[in-house]
Amino acid sequence: MIKLKGFEKSLYVEKNLILDLIDSSVKEETPMHMSIIDAVVLNRALKDEKYNKLLNSFDELLCDSSLIVFLYNWIYNKKIKGFNGPDLFKVLVHEKKYNQLIIGTTQEMFNEVKNKSSNKNLFYLDIGFKNNWKDFNYELIESYVLSNNINILWVMLGNPKQDYVSKKLKDRGLINSVVFSSGAAYLFYLDSIKNSTIEIKGLKFLWLRRILQNPRRQLIRSLEVLKNIKKFINLFK
C-alpha cells in the first residue's frame, strides 16, 4: 500500500490485498465504497480542497496511477507493480460468484462487456444522463441493488461525477454492496482504449497511448499533471 500526504487512507496497489478485501466485504455484507485514484483525480484533489475531502470520505482508495507507483519505487527503491482500475475490472467481470451491476454506460456497451465476459451474473441499469450528480434517481439504484442482491456496483460516470454519486449512495446507507467509482475501465476491457504493454519501474505508458487516441483532451490533462510533478513528489515526504 502507498501512503500519500493529505490522504487519511493508504492507496491499495497489491492485487491479492484488493481481491481479499472485496471478498471479505461481500461475505460479511459490509458496505465498502472505493474510489479509484488516477493522476488526473489526484491532480484535481491537490487543487480542490472540497474534492480532496470527498476522496478522504471513501472507505478505501485504489491507486490507478502508474506515475504514483513509479515515484514510490524511485523514492523508496522498491519494485512494486500496480494493479489499477482496468486490471481490477478485467478480473472481476469474469468472477461469477458475485452479482455485479454496471451503471453509467450505455446498453450497447454493456452488451459488449457481457458478451465478452459470458458472465450471467452481470447486470445493467439505465440511469440516464444527468449534468448534475444530485439529479440521479438514487431510489431506483438502491431498489435494483437490493432486489437483485447485488454484491458489486460499478459507477461508470467519469470523474468527478462518479465519486459524488458513490458518496451519495454511501451517505444514504441503504445498500451493503462493494461500490467502485471506476470511470472508463470497461473501455479498456473492450479494447476501445488500448492498455500499455510497456512498463518501467511501475510506470506504464498508457498516457502516451491515450494522447495519440485523443490528443486534444488527453494532452491538456497530461500537461496539467506534469506541471504539478513536484507536488506529486512532495506527497511522499
Side-chain angles (χ1 to χ4, degrees):
M1 298 179 72
I2 295 177
K3 179 64 179 174
L4 298 178
K5 186 169 65 176
F7 287 87
E8 297 171 8
K9 301 173 183 69
S10 296
L11 276 64
Y12 276 86
V13 289
E14 300 90 345
K15 177 180 178 179
N16 290 340
L17 286 180
I18 296 165
L19 296 180
D20 287 347
L21 176 68
I22 294 166
D23 199 50
S24 63
S25 295
V26 171
K27 286 179 179 177
E28 296 169 10
E29 297 185 356
T30 304
M32 193 265 287
H33 293 251
M34 176 178 277
S35 181
I36 298 178
I37 311 293
D38 65 13
V40 174
V41 170
L42 193 55
N43 199 47
R44 179 178 282 115
L46 288 173
K47 297 184 292 184
D48 186 340
E49 186 176 342
K50 180 182 177 183
Y51 186 58
N52 183 283
K53 185 176 180 181
L54 171 71
L55 294 179
N56 273 306
S57 69
F58 277 79
D59 299 310
E60 304 292 350
L61 303 173
L62 172 67
C63 181
D64 195 37
S65 170
S66 70
L67 175 60
I68 290 300
V69 174
F70 170 77
L71 290 175
Y72 178 83
N73 286 335
W74 172 57
I75 291 170
Y76 297 110
N77 195 26
K78 301 290 185 179
K79 294 181 179 179
I80 66 169
K81 284 196 169 187
F83 184 70
N84 60 21
D87 294 332
L88 178 64
F89 185 78
K90 187 176 181 180
V91 170
L92 289 182
V93 77
H94 290 277
E95 188 53 79
K96 297 177 181 178
K97 67 180 178 181
Y98 303 132
N99 291 331
Q100 302 181 62
L101 173 64
I102 293 177
I103 62 173
T105 182
T106 64
Q107 180 74 61
E108 291 74 19
M109 284 291 191
F110 170 78
N111 290 343
E112 288 186 48
V113 171
K114 184 151 187 173
N115 289 337
K116 184 174 180 178
S117 67
S118 299
N119 188 348
K120 65 179 182 179
N121 294 327
L122 194 63
F123 303 96
Y124 172 75
L125 177 64
D126 185 358
I127 60 171
F129 174 81
K130 307 292 181 184
N131 285 315
N132 193 318
W133 60 270
K134 297 178 182 177
D135 296 333
F136 286 105
N137 187 337
Y138 291 92
E139 289 85 359
L140 175 67
I141 299 170
E142 291 158 344
S143 175
Y144 192 99
V145 168
L146 294 170
S147 61
N148 291 279
N149 193 28
I150 297 298
N151 306 120
I152 296 175
L153 171 61
W154 298 92
V155 183
M156 297 179 159
L157 291 165
N159 171 269
K161 189 185 294 183
Q162 62 195 17
D163 288 314
Y164 284 101
V165 169
S166 182
K167 179 61 165 58
K168 179 71 172 180
L169 290 168
K170 174 178 166 63
D171 290 343
R172 288 170 64 87
L174 297 180
I175 60 176
N176 292 327
S177 309
V178 173
V179 181
F180 294 114
S181 305
S182 56
Y186 69 96
L187 293 177
F188 290 91
Y189 180 69
L190 295 174
D191 289 326
S192 297
I193 301 176
K194 298 291 184 180
N195 219 331
S196 175
T197 56
I198 304 171
E199 184 173 342
I200 300 174
K201 287 187 75 68
L203 180 65
K204 298 179 180 179
F205 290 82
L206 170 62
W207 53 273
L208 182 58
R209 193 182 286 269
R210 295 195 73 178
I211 287 174
L212 294 174
Q213 288 184 303
N214 190 349
R216 179 175 294 181
R217 183 182 184 191
Q218 297 301 331
L219 185 58
I220 293 173
R221 285 183 163 189
S222 297
L223 288 175
E224 283 292 321
V225 170
L226 288 174
K227 278 183 357 185
N228 282 325
I229 193 65
K230 287 186 177 179
K231 291 183 178 180
F232 274 62
I233 293 172
N234 287 335
L235 291 172
F236 293 93
K237 297 180 179 179

